[in-house]
Coordinates of all heavy atoms in Angstrom, one line a residue:
T1145 N 16.1 56.0 10.3 CA 17.1 55.6 11.2 C 16.5 54.6 12.2 O 15.3 54.7 12.6 CB 17.7 56.7 12.0 OG1 16.8 57.4 12.8 CG2 18.5 57.6 11.1
Q1146 N 17.3 53.7 12.7 CA 16.8 52.6 13.6 C 17.2 53.1 15.0 O 18.3 53.5 15.3 CB 17.5 51.3 13.3 CG 17.0 50.2 14.1 CD 17.7 48.9 13.8 OE1 18.3 48.8 12.7 NE2 17.7 48.0 14.7
R1147 N 16.2 53.0 15.9 CA 16.4 53.3 17.3 C 16.9 52.0 18.1 O 16.6 50.9 17.7 CB 15.2 53.8 17.9 CG 14.7 55.1 17.3 CD 13.5 55.6 18.0 NE 12.9 56.7 17.3 CZ 11.8 57.2 17.5 NH1 10.9 56.7 18.4 NH2 11.3 58.3 16.9
A1148 N 17.6 52.3 19.1 CA 18.1 51.2 20.0 C 16.9 50.4 20.5 O 15.9 50.9 20.9 CB 18.9 51.7 21.1
G1149 N 17.0 49.1 20.4 CA 15.9 48.2 20.9 C 14.9 47.9 19.9 O 14.0 47.0 20.1
E1150 N 14.9 48.5 18.7 CA 14.0 48.2 17.6 C 14.5 47.2 16.7 O 15.7 47.2 16.4 CB 13.7 49.5 16.8 CG 12.8 50.5 17.5 CD 12.5 51.7 16.6 OE1 12.9 51.7 15.4 OE2 11.8 52.6 17.1
P1151 N 13.7 46.3 16.3 CA 14.2 45.2 15.4 C 14.7 45.8 14.1 O 14.0 46.8 13.5 CB 13.0 44.3 15.2 CG 11.8 45.1 15.5 CD 12.3 46.1 16.5
G1152 N 15.8 45.3 13.5 CA 16.3 45.8 12.3 C 15.6 45.2 11.1 O 15.6 45.8 10.0
H1153 N 15.0 44.1 11.3 CA 14.4 43.4 10.2 C 13.3 42.5 10.7 O 13.5 41.8 11.7 CB 15.4 42.5 9.4 CG 14.8 41.6 8.4 ND1 14.3 42.1 7.2 CD2 14.5 40.3 8.4 CE1 13.8 41.1 6.5 NE2 13.9 40.0 7.2
I1154 N 12.1 42.6 10.1 CA 11.0 41.7 10.5 C 11.1 40.5 9.7 O 11.1 40.6 8.4 CB 9.7 42.5 10.4 CG1 9.6 43.8 11.1 CG2 8.5 41.6 10.8 CD1 9.9 43.7 12.6
T1155 N 11.1 39.3 10.3 CA 11.2 38.1 9.6 C 9.8 37.4 9.4 O 8.9 37.7 10.2 CB 12.1 37.1 10.3 OG1 12.2 35.9 9.5 CG2 11.7 36.8 11.7
T1156 N 9.7 36.6 8.4 CA 8.5 35.9 8.2 C 8.5 34.5 8.9 O 7.6 33.8 8.9 CB 8.3 35.5 6.7 OG1 9.4 34.7 6.2 CG2 8.2 36.8 5.9
G1157 N 9.7 34.2 9.5 CA 9.9 33.0 10.2 C 10.5 31.9 9.3 O 10.8 30.8 9.8
N1158 N 10.8 32.3 8.1 CA 11.5 31.4 7.2 C 12.6 32.1 6.5 O 12.4 33.0 5.7 CB 10.5 30.8 6.2 CG 11.2 29.8 5.3 OD1 12.3 30.0 4.8 ND2 10.5 28.8 5.0
V1159 N 13.8 31.7 6.9 CA 15.0 32.5 6.4 C 15.1 32.4 4.8 O 15.5 33.4 4.2 CB 16.3 31.9 7.0 CG1 16.7 30.5 6.6 CG2 17.5 32.9 6.8
L1160 N 14.7 31.3 4.2 CA 14.8 31.2 2.8 C 13.8 32.2 2.1 O 14.2 32.8 1.1 CB 14.5 29.8 2.3 CG 15.5 28.7 2.8 CD1 15.0 27.3 2.5 CD2 16.8 28.9 2.3
D1161 N 12.6 32.3 2.7 CA 11.7 33.3 2.1 C 12.2 34.7 2.3 O 12.1 35.6 1.5 CB 10.3 33.1 2.8 CG 9.6 31.8 2.4 OD1 10.0 31.2 1.4 OD2 8.8 31.4 3.2
D1162 N 12.8 34.9 3.5 CA 13.3 36.3 3.8 C 14.5 36.6 2.9 O 14.7 37.8 2.6 CB 13.8 36.3 5.3 CG 12.7 36.2 6.3 OD1 11.5 36.4 5.9 OD2 13.0 35.9 7.5
L1163 N 15.2 35.7 2.4 CA 16.3 36.0 1.6 C 15.9 36.2 0.1 O 16.7 36.6 -0.7 CB 17.3 34.8 1.6 CG 18.1 34.7 2.9 CD1 19.0 33.4 2.9 CD2 19.0 35.9 3.1
G1164 N 14.6 36.1 -0.1 CA 14.1 36.4 -1.5 C 14.1 35.3 -2.5 O 14.0 35.6 -3.7
F1165 N 14.3 34.1 -2.1 CA 14.2 33.0 -3.0 C 12.8 32.8 -3.6 O 11.8 33.1 -2.9 CB 14.6 31.6 -2.4 CG 16.1 31.5 -2.1 CD1 16.6 31.7 -0.8 CD2 16.9 31.1 -3.1 CE1 17.9 31.5 -0.5 CE2 18.3 30.9 -2.8 CZ 18.8 31.2 -1.6
A1166 N 12.7 32.4 -4.8 CA 11.4 32.1 -5.4 C 10.8 31.0 -4.6 O 11.5 30.2 -4.1 CB 11.6 31.7 -6.9
P1167 N 9.5 31.0 -4.6 CA 8.8 30.0 -3.8 C 9.2 28.6 -4.1 O 9.4 27.7 -3.2 CB 7.3 30.2 -4.0 CG 7.2 31.7 -4.4 CD 8.5 32.0 -5.1
Q1168 N 9.3 28.3 -5.4 CA 9.7 26.9 -5.8 C 11.1 26.5 -5.4 O 11.3 25.4 -4.9 CB 9.6 26.7 -7.4 CG 8.2 27.0 -7.9 CD 7.9 28.5 -8.2 OE1 8.7 29.3 -7.8 NE2 6.8 28.7 -8.8
V1169 N 12.0 27.5 -5.5 CA 13.4 27.2 -5.0 C 13.4 27.1 -3.5 O 14.1 26.2 -3.0 CB 14.3 28.4 -5.5 CG1 15.7 28.3 -4.9 CG2 14.4 28.5 -7.0
S1170 N 12.7 27.9 -2.8 CA 12.6 27.8 -1.4 C 12.1 26.4 -0.9 O 12.7 25.8 0.0 CB 11.7 28.9 -0.8 OG 11.7 28.9 0.6
L1171 N 11.1 26.0 -1.6 CA 10.5 24.6 -1.2 C 11.5 23.5 -1.5 O 11.7 22.6 -0.6 CB 9.2 24.4 -2.0 CG 8.0 25.2 -1.7 CD1 6.9 25.0 -2.7 CD2 7.5 24.9 -0.3
E1172 N 12.2 23.6 -2.6 CA 13.2 22.6 -2.9 C 14.4 22.6 -1.8 O 14.8 21.6 -1.4 CB 13.8 22.8 -4.3 CG 14.8 21.7 -4.6 CD 15.3 21.8 -6.1 OE1 14.8 22.7 -6.8 OE2 16.2 21.1 -6.4
L1173 N 14.8 23.8 -1.5 CA 15.9 23.9 -0.5 C 15.5 23.4 0.9 O 16.3 22.8 1.6 CB 16.4 25.4 -0.4 CG 17.2 25.9 -1.6 CD1 17.4 27.4 -1.5 CD2 18.5 25.1 -1.7
K1174 N 14.2 23.7 1.2 CA 13.7 23.2 2.5 C 13.7 21.7 2.5 O 14.1 21.0 3.5 CB 12.3 23.7 2.8 CG 12.2 25.1 3.1 CD 10.7 25.5 3.2 CE 10.5 27.0 3.0 NZ 9.1 27.4 3.0
L1175 N 13.3 21.0 1.4 CA 13.3 19.6 1.4 C 14.7 19.0 1.4 O 15.0 18.1 2.1 CB 12.5 19.1 0.1 CG 12.4 17.6 -0.1 CD1 11.8 16.9 1.1 CD2 11.6 17.3 -1.3
K1176 N 15.6 19.6 0.6 CA 17.0 19.2 0.6 C 17.6 19.3 2.1 O 18.3 18.4 2.5 CB 17.8 20.0 -0.3 CG 17.7 19.7 -1.8 CD 18.7 20.6 -2.5 CE 18.8 20.2 -4.0 NZ 19.8 21.0 -4.7
S1177 N 17.3 20.4 2.7 CA 17.8 20.6 4.1 C 17.3 19.6 5.0 O 18.1 19.0 5.8 CB 17.4 22.0 4.5 OG 17.8 22.2 5.8
E1178 N 16.1 19.2 5.0 CA 15.5 18.2 5.8 C 16.1 16.8 5.5 O 16.5 16.1 6.5 CB 14.0 18.1 5.7 CG 13.3 19.3 6.3 CD 11.8 19.2 6.3 OE1 11.2 18.1 6.2 OE2 11.1 20.3 6.3
L1179 N 16.3 16.5 4.3 CA 16.9 15.2 3.9 C 18.4 15.2 4.4 O 18.8 14.2 5.0 CB 16.9 15.0 2.4 CG 15.6 14.7 1.7 CD1 15.7 14.8 0.2 CD2 15.2 13.3 2.1
H1180 N 19.1 16.3 4.2 CA 20.5 16.4 4.6 C 20.6 16.2 6.1 O 21.5 15.5 6.6 CB 21.1 17.7 4.2 CG 22.5 17.9 4.5 ND1 22.9 18.7 5.5 CD2 23.6 17.3 4.0 CE1 24.2 18.7 5.6 NE2 24.7 17.8 4.7
E1181 N 19.8 16.9 6.9 CA 19.8 16.8 8.3 C 19.6 15.3 8.8 O 20.2 14.8 9.7 CB 18.8 17.7 9.0 CG 18.9 17.8 10.5 CD 20.2 18.2 11.0 OE1 20.9 19.1 10.4 OE2 20.6 17.7 12.1
G1182 N 18.6 14.6 8.2 CA 18.3 13.3 8.5 C 19.5 12.4 8.2 O 19.9 11.5 9.0
I1183 N 20.2 12.6 7.1 CA 21.4 11.8 6.7 C 22.5 12.1 7.7 O 23.2 11.2 8.2 CB 21.8 12.2 5.3 CG1 20.8 11.6 4.3 CG2 23.3 11.7 5.0 CD1 21.0 12.1 2.9
L1184 N 22.7 13.3 8.1 CA 23.8 13.7 9.1 C 23.5 13.0 10.4 O 24.4 12.5 11.1 CB 23.9 15.2 9.3 CG 24.5 15.9 8.1 CD1 24.6 17.4 8.4 CD2 25.9 15.4 7.7
N1185 N 22.2 13.0 10.8 CA 21.8 12.3 12.1 C 22.2 10.8 12.1 O 22.7 10.3 13.1 CB 20.3 12.5 12.4 CG 20.0 13.9 12.8 OD1 20.8 14.6 13.3 ND2 18.7 14.2 12.6
I1186 N 22.0 10.2 10.9 CA 22.3 8.7 10.8 C 23.9 8.6 10.9 O 24.4 7.7 11.5 CB 21.8 8.1 9.5 CG1 20.2 8.1 9.6 CG2 22.4 6.8 9.2 CD1 19.6 7.8 8.3
I1187 N 24.6 9.4 10.2 CA 26.0 9.4 10.2 C 26.6 9.6 11.6 O 27.4 8.8 12.0 CB 26.6 10.4 9.2 CG1 26.3 10.1 7.7 CG2 28.1 10.6 9.4 CD1 26.6 11.2 6.7
R1188 N 26.0 10.5 12.3 CA 26.5 10.8 13.7 C 26.1 9.6 14.6 O 26.9 9.2 15.4 CB 25.9 12.0 14.2 CG 26.4 13.3 13.7 CD 25.8 14.5 14.3 NE 25.9 15.7 13.5 CZ 24.9 16.3 12.9 NH1 23.6 15.9 13.2 NH2 25.0 17.3 12.1
K1189 N 24.9 9.1 14.5 CA 24.4 8.0 15.3 C 25.4 6.8 15.2 O 25.7 6.1 16.2 CB 23.0 7.6 14.9 CG 22.5 6.4 15.6 CD 21.1 6.0 15.2 CE 20.6 4.8 15.9 NZ 19.3 4.3 15.4
H1190 N 25.8 6.5 14.0 CA 26.6 5.3 13.7 C 28.1 5.6 13.8 O 29.0 4.7 13.7 CB 26.3 4.7 12.4 CG 24.9 4.1 12.4 ND1 24.6 2.9 12.9 CD2 23.8 4.6 11.9 CE1 23.3 2.6 12.8 NE2 22.8 3.6 12.2
G1191 N 28.5 6.9 14.0 CA 29.9 7.3 14.1 C 30.7 7.0 12.8 O 31.9 6.7 12.9
Y1192 N 30.1 7.1 11.7 CA 30.8 6.9 10.4 C 31.9 8.0 10.2 O 31.6 9.2 10.4 CB 29.8 6.9 9.2 CG 28.9 5.8 9.2 CD1 27.5 6.0 9.0 CD2 29.3 4.5 9.3 CE1 26.6 5.0 8.9 CE2 28.4 3.4 9.3 CZ 27.0 3.7 9.1 OH 26.2 2.6 9.0
S1193 N 33.0 7.5 9.8 CA 34.1 8.4 9.4 C 34.0 8.8 7.9 O 33.2 8.1 7.2 CB 35.5 7.8 9.7 OG 35.6 6.7 8.7
A1194 N 34.7 9.8 7.5 CA 34.7 10.1 6.1 C 35.2 8.9 5.2 O 34.6 8.6 4.2 CB 35.7 11.3 5.8
R1195 N 36.1 8.1 5.7 CA 36.6 6.9 5.0 C 35.5 5.9 4.9 O 35.3 5.3 3.8 CB 37.8 6.4 5.7 CG 38.3 5.1 5.1 CD 39.2 5.3 3.9 NE 40.4 6.0 4.2 CZ 41.1 6.6 3.3 NH1 40.8 6.5 2.0 NH2 42.2 7.3 3.6
N1196 N 34.7 5.7 6.0 CA 33.6 4.8 6.0 C 32.6 5.2 4.9 O 32.1 4.4 4.1 CB 32.8 4.8 7.3 CG 33.6 4.2 8.5 OD1 33.5 4.7 9.5 ND2 34.3 3.1 8.3
L1197 N 32.3 6.5 4.9 CA 31.3 7.1 3.9 C 31.7 6.9 2.5 O 30.9 6.7 1.6 CB 31.0 8.5 4.3 CG 30.3 8.7 5.6 CD1 30.2 10.2 6.0 CD2 28.9 8.1 5.6
E1198 N 33.0 7.1 2.2 CA 33.5 6.9 0.9 C 33.1 5.5 0.4 O 32.7 5.4 -0.8 CB 35.1 7.0 0.8 CG 35.6 8.4 1.0 CD 37.1 8.5 0.9 OE1 37.7 7.9 -0.1 OE2 37.7 9.0 1.8
H1199 N 33.3 4.5 1.2 CA 32.9 3.1 0.8 C 31.4 2.9 0.8 O 30.9 2.3 -0.2 CB 33.6 2.1 1.7 CG 35.1 2.1 1.6 ND1 35.8 1.7 0.5 CD2 36.0 2.6 2.5 CE1 37.1 1.9 0.7 NE2 37.3 2.4 1.9
I1200 N 30.7 3.3 1.8 CA 29.3 3.1 1.9 C 28.5 3.8 0.8 O 27.6 3.2 0.1 CB 28.7 3.5 3.3 CG1 29.3 2.7 4.4 CG2 27.2 3.5 3.3 CD1 29.1 3.3 5.8
L1201 N 28.9 5.0 0.5 CA 28.2 5.8 -0.5 C 28.8 5.7 -1.9 O 28.3 6.3 -2.8 CB 28.1 7.3 0.0 CG 27.4 7.5 1.3 CD1 27.5 9.0 1.7 CD2 26.0 7.0 1.4
A1202 N 29.9 5.0 -2.0 CA 30.7 4.9 -3.3 C 31.0 6.3 -3.8 O 30.7 6.7 -5.0 CB 29.9 4.1 -4.3
L1203 N 31.6 7.2 -2.9 CA 31.9 8.5 -3.3 C 33.4 8.8 -3.1 O 34.1 8.1 -2.3 CB 31.2 9.5 -2.4 CG 29.7 9.6 -2.5 CD1 29.2 10.6 -1.4 CD2 29.3 10.1 -3.9
R1204 N 33.9 9.7 -3.8 CA 35.3 10.2 -3.6 C 35.3 11.2 -2.4 O 34.3 11.8 -2.1 CB 35.9 10.8 -4.8 CG 36.1 9.8 -5.9 CD 36.9 10.3 -7.0 NE 37.4 9.2 -7.8 CZ 38.0 9.4 -8.9 NH1 38.2 10.7 -9.4 NH2 38.5 8.4 -9.6
Q1205 N 36.4 11.4 -1.8 CA 36.6 12.2 -0.6 C 36.0 13.6 -0.8 O 35.3 14.1 0.0 CB 38.0 12.3 -0.2 CG 38.2 13.0 1.1 CD 38.2 14.5 1.1 OE1 38.6 15.1 0.1 NE2 37.7 15.1 2.1
P1206 N 36.2 14.3 -2.0 CA 35.6 15.7 -2.1 C 34.1 15.7 -2.0 O 33.5 16.6 -1.5 CB 36.1 16.1 -3.5 CG 37.3 15.3 -3.7 CD 37.1 14.0 -3.1
R1207 N 33.5 14.7 -2.6 CA 32.0 14.6 -2.5 C 31.5 14.3 -1.1 O 30.5 14.8 -0.6 CB 31.5 13.5 -3.4 CG 31.8 13.7 -4.9 CD 31.2 14.9 -5.6 NE 31.8 16.1 -5.4 CZ 32.9 16.6 -6.1 NH1 33.4 15.8 -7.0 NH2 33.4 17.8 -5.9
V1208 N 32.3 13.5 -0.4 CA 31.9 13.2 1.0 C 32.0 14.5 1.8 O 31.2 14.9 2.6 CB 32.8 12.1 1.7 CG1 32.6 12.0 3.2 CG2 32.6 10.8 1.0
S1209 N 33.1 15.3 1.6 CA 33.3 16.6 2.3 C 32.1 17.5 2.0 O 31.6 18.2 2.9 CB 34.6 17.2 1.8 OG 34.8 18.4 2.4
E1210 N 31.7 17.6 0.7 CA 30.6 18.4 0.4 C 29.3 18.0 1.1 O 28.5 18.9 1.6 CB 30.3 18.4 -1.1 CG 31.4 19.1 -1.9 CD 31.2 19.0 -3.4 OE1 30.4 18.2 -3.9 OE2 32.0 19.7 -4.2
L1211 N 29.1 16.7 1.2 CA 27.9 16.2 1.9 C 28.0 16.6 3.4 O 27.0 17.1 4.0 CB 27.8 14.7 1.8 CG 26.8 14.0 2.6 CD1 25.4 14.4 2.2 CD2 26.9 12.5 2.6
M1212 N 29.1 16.4 4.0 CA 29.3 16.7 5.4 C 29.2 18.2 5.7 O 28.7 18.6 6.8 CB 30.6 16.1 5.9 CG 30.7 14.6 5.8 SD 29.4 13.8 6.7 CE 29.7 14.2 8.4
R1213 N 29.6 19.0 4.8 CA 29.6 20.5 5.0 C 28.3 21.1 4.6 O 28.1 22.3 4.7 CB 30.8 21.1 4.3 CG 32.1 20.8 4.9 CD 33.2 21.6 4.3 NE 33.4 21.1 2.9 CZ 33.6 21.9 1.8 NH1 33.6 23.2 2.0 NH2 33.7 21.5 0.6
G1214 N 27.4 20.3 4.0 CA 26.0 20.8 3.7 C 26.0 21.6 2.4 O 25.2 22.5 2.3
K1215 N 26.9 21.3 1.5 CA 26.9 22.0 0.2 C 25.7 21.6 -0.6 O 25.8 20.8 -1.6 CB 28.2 21.8 -0.6 CG 29.4 22.3 0.2 CD 29.6 23.7 -0.1 CE 30.9 23.9 -0.8 NZ 31.0 25.2 -1.3
L1216 N 24.5 22.0 -0.3 CA 23.3 21.6 -0.9 C 23.2 21.9 -2.4 O 22.4 21.2 -3.1 CB 22.1 22.1 -0.1 CG 21.9 21.6 1.3 CD1 20.7 22.2 2.0 CD2 22.0 20.1 1.5
N1217 N 23.9 22.9 -2.8 CA 23.8 23.3 -4.2 C 24.4 22.2 -5.1 O 24.2 22.2 -6.3 CB 24.4 24.7 -4.5 CG 25.9 24.7 -4.1 OD1 26.3 24.1 -3.1 ND2 26.7 25.4 -4.9
T1218 N 25.3 21.4 -4.5 CA 25.9 20.3 -5.3 C 25.2 19.0 -5.2 O 25.5 18.0 -5.8 CB 27.4 20.1 -4.8 OG1 27.3 19.6 -3.5 CG2 28.2 21.3 -4.9
L1219 N 24.1 18.9 -4.4 CA 23.4 17.7 -4.1 C 21.9 17.8 -4.6 O 21.2 18.8 -4.3 CB 23.3 17.4 -2.6 CG 24.7 17.2 -2.0 CD1 24.6 17.3 -0.5 CD2 25.3 15.9 -2.4
S1220 N 21.5 16.8 -5.4 CA 20.1 16.8 -5.8 C 19.3 16.0 -4.8 O 19.8 15.2 -4.0 CB 20.0 16.1 -7.2 OG 20.3 14.7 -7.1
I1221 N 18.0 16.2 -4.9 CA 17.1 15.4 -4.0 C 17.3 13.9 -4.3 O 17.3 13.1 -3.4 CB 15.6 15.9 -4.2 CG1 15.5 17.3 -3.6 CG2 14.7 14.9 -3.5 CD1 14.1 17.9 -3.9
R1222 N 17.4 13.6 -5.5 CA 17.6 12.2 -5.9 C 18.9 11.6 -5.3 O 18.8 10.5 -4.7 CB 17.7 12.1 -7.4 CG 17.9 10.6 -7.9 CD 18.1 10.5 -9.4 NE 16.9 10.9 -10.0 CZ 16.7 11.0 -11.3 NH1 17.7 10.6 -12.1 NH2 15.6 11.3 -11.9
K1223 N 20.0 12.4 -5.3 CA 21.2 11.9 -4.7 C 21.1 11.7 -3.2 O 21.5 10.8 -2.6 CB 22.4 12.8 -5.0 CG 23.1 12.6 -6.3 CD 23.8 11.2 -6.2 CE 24.4 10.9 -7.5 NZ 24.8 9.5 -7.6
L1224 N 20.4 12.7 -2.5 CA 20.2 12.6 -1.1 C 19.4 11.4 -0.7 O 19.7 10.7 0.3 CB 19.6 13.9 -0.6 CG 20.5 15.1 -0.6 CD1 19.7 16.4 -0.4 CD2 21.6 15.0 0.5
L1225 N 18.4 11.1 -1.5 CA 17.6 9.9 -1.3 C 18.4 8.6 -1.5 O 18.3 7.7 -0.7 CB 16.3 9.9 -2.2 CG 15.3 10.9 -1.9 CD1 14.2 11.0 -3.0 CD2 14.6 10.7 -0.6
E1226 N 19.2 8.6 -2.5 CA 20.1 7.5 -2.7 C 21.1 7.3 -1.5 O 21.3 6.2 -1.1 CB 20.9 7.8 -4.0 CG 21.9 6.7 -4.3 CD 22.8 7.1 -5.6 OE1 22.2 7.6 -6.5 OE2 24.0 6.8 -5.5
Y1227 N 21.7 8.4 -1.0 CA 22.6 8.3 0.1 C 21.8 7.7 1.4 O 22.4 6.9 2.1 CB 23.2 9.6 0.5 CG 24.1 10.2 -0.6 CD1 24.4 11.5 -0.7 CD2 24.6 9.4 -1.6 CE1 25.2 12.1 -1.7 CE2 25.4 9.9 -2.6 CZ 25.7 11.3 -2.7 OH 26.5 11.8 -3.7
A1228 N 20.6 8.2 1.6 CA 19.8 7.7 2.7 C 19.6 6.2 2.6 O 19.8 5.4 3.5 CB 18.5 8.4 2.8
D1229 N 19.3 5.8 1.4 CA 19.1 4.3 1.1 C 20.4 3.5 1.4 O 20.3 2.5 2.0 CB 18.6 4.1 -0.3 CG 18.3 2.7 -0.6 OD1 17.4 2.1 0.0 OD2 19.0 2.1 -1.5
K1230 N 21.5 4.0 0.9 CA 22.8 3.3 1.1 C 23.2 3.3 2.6 O 23.9 2.4 3.0 CB 23.9 4.0 0.3 CG 23.8 3.7 -1.2 CD 24.9 4.3 -2.0 CE 24.8 3.9 -3.4 NZ 25.9 4.5 -4.2
L1231 N 22.6 4.2 3.4 CA 22.9 4.2 4.8 C 21.9 3.4 5.6 O 21.9 3.4 6.8 CB 22.9 5.7 5.3 CG 24.1 6.5 4.9 CD1 23.9 8.0 5.1 CD2 25.4 6.0 5.6
G1232 N 21.0 2.8 4.9 CA 20.0 1.9 5.5 C 18.8 2.7 6.0 O 18.1 2.2 7.0
A1233 N 18.5 3.8 5.4 CA 17.4 4.6 5.9 C 16.4 4.9 4.7 O 16.7 4.5 3.6 CB 17.9 5.9 6.5
Y1234 N 15.3 5.5 5.0 CA 14.4 6.0 3.9 C 13.8 7.3 4.3 O 13.9 7.7 5.5 CB 13.3 4.9 3.7 CG 12.3 4.8 4.8 CD1 11.2 5.5 4.8 CD2 12.6 3.9 5.9 CE1 10.3 5.4 5.9 CE2 11.7 3.8 6.9 CZ 10.6 4.5 6.9 OH 9.7 4.4 8.0
A1235 N 13.3 8.0 3.4 CA 12.7 9.3 3.6 C 11.2 9.1 3.5 O 10.7 8.4 2.6 CB 13.2 10.3 2.6
K1236 N 10.5 9.9 4.3 CA 9.0 9.8 4.2 C 8.5 11.3 4.1 O 8.9 12.1 4.9 CB 8.4 9.2 5.5 CG 6.9 9.2 5.5 CD 6.4 8.5 6.8 CE 4.9 8.5 6.8 NZ 4.4 8.0 8.1
V1237 N 7.8 11.5 3.0 CA 7.2 12.9 2.8 C 5.9 13.0 3.5 O 5.0 12.1 3.3 CB 7.1 13.2 1.3 CG1 6.5 14.5 1.0 CG2 8.5 13.1 0.6
T1238 N 5.7 14.1 4.2 CA 4.4 14.4 4.8 C 3.8 15.6 4.2 O 4.5 16.7 4.1 CB 4.6 14.6 6.3 OG1 5.2 13.4 6.9 CG2 3.2 14.8 7.0
V1239 N 2.6 15.6 3.8 CA 1.9 16.7 3.2 C 0.9 17.2 4.2 O 0.0 16.4 4.6 CB 1.3 16.4 1.8 CG1 0.6 17.6 1.3 CG2 2.4 15.9 0.9
R1240 N 1.0 18.5 4.5 CA 0.0 19.1 5.5 C -0.5 20.4 4.9 O 0.1 21.0 4.1 CB 0.7 19.4 6.8 CG 1.2 18.2 7.5 CD 1.8 18.6 8.9 NE 2.6 17.6 9.4 CZ 3.9 17.6 9.7 NH1 4.6 18.7 9.4 NH2 4.5 16.5 10.2
E1241 N -1.7 20.7 5.4 CA -2.2 22.0 5.0 C -1.4 23.1 5.7 O -1.0 22.9 6.8 CB -3.7 22.2 5.4 CG -4.6 21.3 4.5 CD -6.0 21.5 4.9 OE1 -6.6 22.6 4.5 OE2 -6.7 20.7 5.5
K1242 N -1.3 24.3 5.0 CA -0.6 25.4 5.6 C -1.5 26.0 6.7 O -2.7 26.0 6.6 CB -0.3 26.5 4.5 CG 0.7 26.0 3.5 CD 0.9 27.1 2.5 CE 1.8 26.7 1.4 NZ 2.1 27.8 0.4
R1243 N -0.8 26.5 7.7 CA -1.6 27.2 8.7 C -2.2 28.5 8.2 O -1.6 29.2 7.4 CB -0.7 27.5 9.9 CG -0.2 26.2 10.6 CD 0.6 26.6 11.8 NE 1.4 25.5 12.2 CZ 2.6 25.5 12.7 NH1 3.2 26.6 12.8 NH2 3.2 24.4 13.0
A1244 N -3.3 28.9 8.7 CA -3.9 30.1 8.3 C -3.0 31.3 8.8 O -2.5 31.2 9.9 CB -5.3 30.3 8.9
A1245 N -2.9 32.3 8.0 CA -2.0 33.4 8.4 C -2.6 34.3 9.4 O -3.8 34.3 9.7 CB -1.8 34.3 7.1

């Protein structure tokens, strides 16, 4: 039994790892998430509407909606990179050593 004030779950600091995703899947989802967040930042910065995005990205409304709602399971890394390019941006990958545990 859990006592009041005690944590119910100890986290590793990464929700994807905590949810039990395989390491490869977790890494891909992290990259997709970062790409998606960057794309949303550009969309917000420029105030693009869904109608603007349909034309800029050459997408139909349902796909624009999926992008805006973060349906990452429907988006490949390749597509996210393509959308960034069409929005006049690029992605840069940084590789760093993992911190010691």
Side-chain angles (χ1 to χ4, degrees):
T1145 62
Q1146 181 181 343
R1147 295 182 188 168
E1150 289 184 2
H1153 173 74
I1154 304 299
T1155 180
T1156 62
N1158 183 318
V1159 69
L1160 298 172
D1161 294 338
D1162 292 344
L1163 289 173
F1165 285 100
Q1168 299 84 355
V1169 173
S1170 181
L1171 290 171
E1172 183 178 353
L1173 287 172
K1174 289 175 199 175
L1175 181 57
K1176 281 183 174 184
S1177 177
E1178 287 182 27
L1179 287 167
H1180 180 255
E1181 186 60 34
I1183 289 168
L1184 290 182
N1185 286 339
I1186 291 166
I1187 290 169
R1188 288 185 205 112
K1189 176 183 176 184
H1190 294 282
Y1192 292 132
S1193 68
R1195 178 77 65 195
N1196 295 139
L1197 293 172
E1198 286 181 54
H1199 294 290
I1200 294 167
L1201 303 177
L1203 294 175
R1204 292 190 163 174
Q1205 189 280 327
R1207 301 294 82 83
V1208 171
S1209 179
E1210 288 173 352
L1211 173 66
M1212 297 304 293
R1213 290 184 295 134
K1215 298 279 242 163
L1216 298 181
N1217 61 323
T1218 65
L1219 299 166
S1220 68
I1221 291 172
R1222 180 183 295 180
K1223 274 292 179 194
L1224 289 166
L1225 290 170
E1226 178 184 319
Y1227 297 159
D1229 183 63
K1230 287 182 176 183
L1231 290 165
Y1234 67 94
K1236 180 179 177 183
V1237 177
T1238 303
V1239 179
R1240 298 184 193 116
E1241 290 186 71
K1242 294 179 181 181
R1243 293 184 197 140

